[in-house]
Amino acid sequence: MGAVEFDEPPEEWTALLPSYADMGFALGGGQTLGIQGHDRYATEAYDELPGVEFDESAVRQLNDNGVDKELFYELEAEAHFMEPNQLRNWYGWSESDVEEIETALGPFFGNFIRRRSDEWHDYRYYDLYEAFELMAEVFQARERYEAFVDLHDEMLATIDERLPAEERPNAMLVYPADLPPTEFHPYRFDDGGVSTKQWRDLGLTDALVASDVGHYTGDGGTVDLETIIEVDPDVLLVRGQEGVSESAFRESIIEPLREDPAASEVTAVQDGAVYNGGYLDQGPIINFYQTERAAKDIYPDAFADATLFDRERVANIITGDF
């Protein structure tokens, strides 16, 4: 990125990935003008925050078979919280396109922290709270950031206290390439990316560690049911079902796996340990929301009455009443 300067916190800004949209919202900066895709943004987490409003209908979808540069002129954002190299490598932008928007409208500020497996990303990565701290500098919201750090520390302490002492289950994280699911994009959650933070924090062992299966990098690579049978995870985490109801998840994912003669032999399927893998992108609010849901799914006895997502305190931080 190089040096990026802001005269004052931006009032009108846009993100591409929900991680940065969530960070800006958490810091009291208001809501993003645009997002990569609404179906990838866990705004239902905001619905649970008392006294906090979020108007999803006011957020433009930036990715419509590509990200059109002209949309940026329509939005007229003062800052663009997104990774320019993602625009170049995913959406065909040129260096001159990036420079044009920077000059005409406002700077870019971001790093693709979802995963750590893309060959083009050969420079520093940030974890969630490292990136969040830099966003707090932009919004001049240090106190809000530190309040979130305190909440995050408390969440991790609660997890540490309640995690069972015995061996934790191994889990396989996949994204169905088709429905009913027969081919899957595999994800490694031991790579440190933001999208898999909750699974690491909850002490799960990556079932793919002992295999030669790589991490999905957008190249279309898949594994089949035979691979899942061979890995035989204790827990199967299935993405691509963001925001769907439990009944819809059961109908589209769990029941087809149970009815398949081969898949039904997988330990996770037999034990009823097939869960929604959640959203790919998460800032601090969505991370609280997803971690609590994941903990109650995987360790119901230990976390049934636990509060990992303190909705009232999060709402107070956003509104400045803390």
Side-chain angles (χ1 to χ4, degrees):
M1 228 20 115
V4 179
E5 296 184 0
F6 297 86
D7 295 330
E8 58 186 3
E11 294 183 4
E12 299 289 315
W13 54 274
T14 188
L16 183 66
L17 299 183
S19 295
Y20 290 102
D22 191 46
M23 291 180 203
F25 190 63
L27 292 165
Q31 62 182 64
T32 181
L33 297 174
I35 201 69
Q36 182 185 38
H38 287 284
D39 59 338
R40 297 290 185 91
Y41 192 4
T43 54
E44 61 263 34
Y46 305 155
D47 296 338
E48 301 186 11
L49 301 175
V52 173
E53 296 184 359
F54 185 90
D55 183 5
E56 189 171 1
S57 67
V59 180
R60 293 285 298 274
Q61 179 152 317
L62 300 183
N63 181 18
D64 183 12
N65 295 317
V67 176
D68 188 347
K69 186 175 61 177
E70 296 307 312
L71 269 178
F72 286 69
Y73 285 101
E74 292 180 27
L75 294 175
E76 295 185 310
E78 302 165 61
H80 308 92
F81 297 117
M82 58 191 73
E83 161 79 87
N85 284 331
Q86 184 185 2
L87 293 173
R88 297 187 188 104
N89 284 277
W90 287 21
Y91 300 115
W93 281 43
S94 66
E95 180 69 32
S96 62
D97 290 330
V98 173
E99 292 175 353
E100 176 188 335
I101 296 300
E102 286 178 324
T103 302
L105 297 171
F108 286 88
F109 189 82
N111 188 299
F112 184 63
I113 56 176
R114 175 191 292 171
R115 60 185 183 231
R116 300 188 175 187
S117 54
D118 293 83
E119 291 184 1
W120 55 264
H121 200 306
D122 57 358
Y123 41 93
R124 178 180 174 179
Y125 285 97
Y126 296 82
D127 67 25
L128 175 56
Y129 276 78
E130 288 172 338
F132 190 31
E133 184 174 20
L134 291 171
M135 289 284 283
E137 290 186 30
V138 175
F139 284 100
Q140 296 180 18
R142 183 76 194 184
E143 290 185 0
R144 280 188 172 92
Y145 163 76
E146 290 178 349
F148 270 102
V149 170
D150 290 342
L151 268 181
H152 181 249
D153 288 344
E154 291 174 24
M155 180 187 77
L156 295 182
T158 301
I159 291 173
D160 187 59
E161 291 169 2
R162 289 179 175 247
L163 277 180
E166 62 268 20
E167 185 177 351
R168 281 50 176 293
N170 69 67
M172 185 172 181
L173 178 62
V174 296
Y175 194 116
D178 56 2
L179 289 176
T182 59
E183 296 282 333
F184 305 82
H185 302 295
Y187 286 81
R188 298 284 295 267
F189 56 78
D190 62 344
D191 77 333
V194 166
S195 80
T196 54
K197 178 181 184 302
Q198 67 269 38
W199 313 120
R200 297 190 301 275
D201 289 344
L202 289 169
L204 294 178
T205 301
D206 193 331
L208 295 178
V209 166
S211 76
D212 59 359
V213 177
H215 185 99
Y216 178 65
T217 61
D219 58 1
T222 62
V223 297
D224 56 19
L225 281 171
E226 290 184 4
T227 302
I228 295 180
I229 294 166
E230 183 179 340
V231 173
D232 194 27
D234 300 320
V235 171
L236 184 63
L237 306 169
V238 184
R239 283 182 157 161
Q241 301 291 302
E242 298 88 351
V244 304
S245 66
E246 290 186 15
S247 60
F249 182 75
R250 189 180 308 111
E251 181 179 346
S252 62
I253 301 297
I254 295 176
E255 291 178 0
L257 290 174
R258 285 178 175 170
E259 293 169 2
D260 185 279
S264 62
E265 297 300 315
V266 174
T267 298
V269 177
Q270 290 184 340
D271 293 348
V274 179
Y275 305 116
N276 194 320
Y279 291 79
L280 286 163
D281 297 291
Q282 53 185 341
I285 303 170
I286 295 171
N287 177 242
F288 286 134
Y289 168 73
Q290 296 209 125
T291 304
E292 183 176 88
R293 293 188 65 184
K296 292 178 184 293
D297 277 344
I298 297 168
Y299 305 106
D301 294 337
F303 290 94
D305 62 344
T307 299
L308 301 181
F309 179 23
D310 192 325
R311 292 145 179 84
E312 184 171 350
R313 286 175 66 187
V314 168
N316 288 343
I317 297 171
I318 295 171
T319 59
D321 185 20
F322 64 99

